[in-house]
Amino acid sequence: MTETPVRLLESLSRRDSALWVKHDDRTNPLYGGNKVRKIERLLEHAKRSGKTSLVTIGALGSHHVLATGIFGAAAGFLVEAVVVPQPSTPHVLEMLRADLARGIRLFPAATLAEASLLLAARIARGRYFIPLGGSNELGASGYVEAAHELAGQVARGELPEPDLVVVPMGSGGTAAGLAAGFASLGLRTRVLAVTVTEPPWLLERSLRRLTARLAGSHARDAQSRLETTRSYLGGGYGLITQEGDRAALSASQVGLHLEPTYTAKAFAAALDRVALGRERTILYWHTFSSAPMAPLLEGAPEDAAIDPKLLRLARRSNPPR
Ligand SMILES: *Cc1c(COP(=O)(O)O)cnc(C)c1O
């Protein structure tokens, strides 16, 4: 894992509150984003288990499924994924095409109950199981290490010690690992986890549990520095919001490319916190790959050649207002 850079976003900062970005979009030149730090550890463990194939689960446009497919295949695994519905956006369909181009075997499930049955059947056939978002203790420990990486950058004077890190929260591994890491390091940095998935109560509960397990003797400290907000979820998981769209436009002016499900919503939260001016240094942790998609889409099937059961998982996007 090479260190990802940090950068001050001067034009989006205010006098009382500086906005920085941590470039985890560049965790890997082939495919970046936050799944890379988690999948590395999970694949090492899968190798040690002696298994030759893996199965994971995610929404239709899941970055985690694509990352598992890319890095799993590179490590010599056959990769399978059970996929569940997600509101349709051009980005979601692009992820689906990339999954198919990378040779991932996709199993469509219309409901979570169906997904559980499919998963159980694949695991019974000897697949190594990688959980949603790669967010078990082992996967999320990649973000404990990322907290150490940031502490090193602070120590070397590359950025001031952040008062707040803002990160989108899906399966929770990223926010949990960072909060646990900051607590064990004794940094003052707090974590704002922007809830973008549903049901929020369930994911927030598993975020708290994972944080405590990762932090060990620092569990209370880690919990107390973790803040969650549902204010940016809008109509629900994967649905576009106006605040998100506006935030994505601001981001594009400083060279950051956001997608609507996670990063647009988290960046909107970061901009609001800058406007509040309560924290001197705010670090937006950028979790979405900025690697070019063209090489990953090479050989992707035309829509007409895609299993209609998969395409039916692309649910109608924003309901009419
Ligand atoms: C998966 C993902 C997240 C959520 O990370 P978790 O560790 O699952 O909470 C955030 N941003 C992007 C771009 C993602 O793909």
Side-chain angles (χ1 to χ4, degrees):
M1 178 82 245
T2 54
E3 191 167 293
T4 60
V6 290
R7 171 164 70 102
L8 172 65
L9 303 177
E10 204 160 359
S11 62
L12 297 177
S13 297
R14 305 231 180 150
R15 222 186 47 183
D16 301 328
S17 201
L19 182 61
W20 289 73
V21 58
K22 171 75 168 159
H23 273 293
D24 265 14
D25 54 311
R26 303 188 204 157
T27 44
N28 185 283
L30 194 62
Y31 189 68
N34 67 336
K35 299 311 179 304
V36 174
R37 294 185 192 264
K38 299 194 261 185
I39 203 74
E40 261 181 358
R41 292 170 177 232
L42 293 163
L43 289 176
E44 273 165 29
H45 187 247
K47 272 255 139 102
R48 285 200 301 276
S49 78
K51 298 193 171 173
T52 54
S53 48
L54 356 135
V55 66
T56 192
I57 177 167
L60 189 64
S62 167
H63 303 130
H64 162 69
V65 167
L66 181 57
T68 304
I70 293 168
F71 300 111
F77 290 97
L78 168 83
V79 180
E80 299 179 339
V82 173
V83 285
V84 298
Q86 181 171 6
S88 179
T89 63
H91 178 66
V92 165
L93 295 174
E94 184 173 78
M95 291 298 110
L96 169 62
R97 282 198 296 272
D99 287 348
L100 296 168
R102 292 348 301 154
I104 306 172
R105 278 185 79 189
L106 298 178
F107 296 84
T111 62
L112 280 180
E114 194 185 339
S116 311
L117 289 175
L118 283 168
L119 261 184
R122 304 320 299 165
I123 294 167
R125 288 197 173 205
R127 309 304 189 241
Y128 179 91
F129 174 57
I130 294 186
L132 188 76
S135 286
N136 55 15
E137 249 181 278
L138 179 63
S141 68
Y143 269 89
V144 176
E145 187 178 287
H148 286 254
E149 180 180 304
L150 184 76
Q153 290 172 311
V154 169
R156 292 196 302 274
E158 292 176 29
L159 81 164
E161 186 172 335
D163 300 291
L164 185 72
V165 159
V166 181
V167 71
M169 199 262 286
S171 57
T174 305
L178 289 175
F182 295 148
S184 65
L185 285 159
L187 294 187
R188 67 157 169 267
T189 312
R190 299 174 53 81
V191 177
L192 175 62
V194 182
T195 301
V196 300
T197 46
E198 294 171 291
W201 63 269
L202 182 69
L203 291 151
E204 286 162 12
R205 203 169 65 183
S206 57
L207 168 72
R208 300 252 160 220
R209 215 180 283 144
L210 187 56
T211 303
R213 283 211 307 268
L214 287 167
S217 60
H218 301 280
R220 282 175 73 114
D221 179 8
Q223 301 268 20
S224 71
R225 63 178 65 224
L226 190 59
E227 189 186 325
T228 56
T229 173
R230 301 178 184 177
S231 304
Y232 299 87
L233 180 61
Y237 174 67
L239 295 177
I240 290 162
T241 62
Q242 275 178 5
E243 303 91 314
D245 271 354
R246 270 201 302 274
L249 190 64
S250 300
S252 70
Q253 286 155 5
V254 292
L256 295 177
H257 178 54
L258 309 185
E259 47 63 61
T261 301
Y262 294 99
T263 46
K265 290 174 178 176
F267 200 68
L271 291 176
D272 284 351
R273 286 301 273 251
V274 170
L276 272 180
R278 284 209 304 251
E279 289 97 6
R280 279 201 84 71
T281 305
I282 296 178
L283 178 67
Y284 162 70
W285 204 292
H286 192 28
T287 51
F288 176 45
S289 175
S290 57
M293 280 305 294
L296 299 173
L297 286 163
E298 227 163 82
E302 296 298 319
D303 282 3
I306 298 176
D307 179 356
K309 277 205 199 116
L310 280 170
L311 289 174
R312 273 202 293 279
L313 298 183
R315 295 289 156 83
R316 197 172 67 167
S317 198
N318 284 33
R321 287 178 218 212

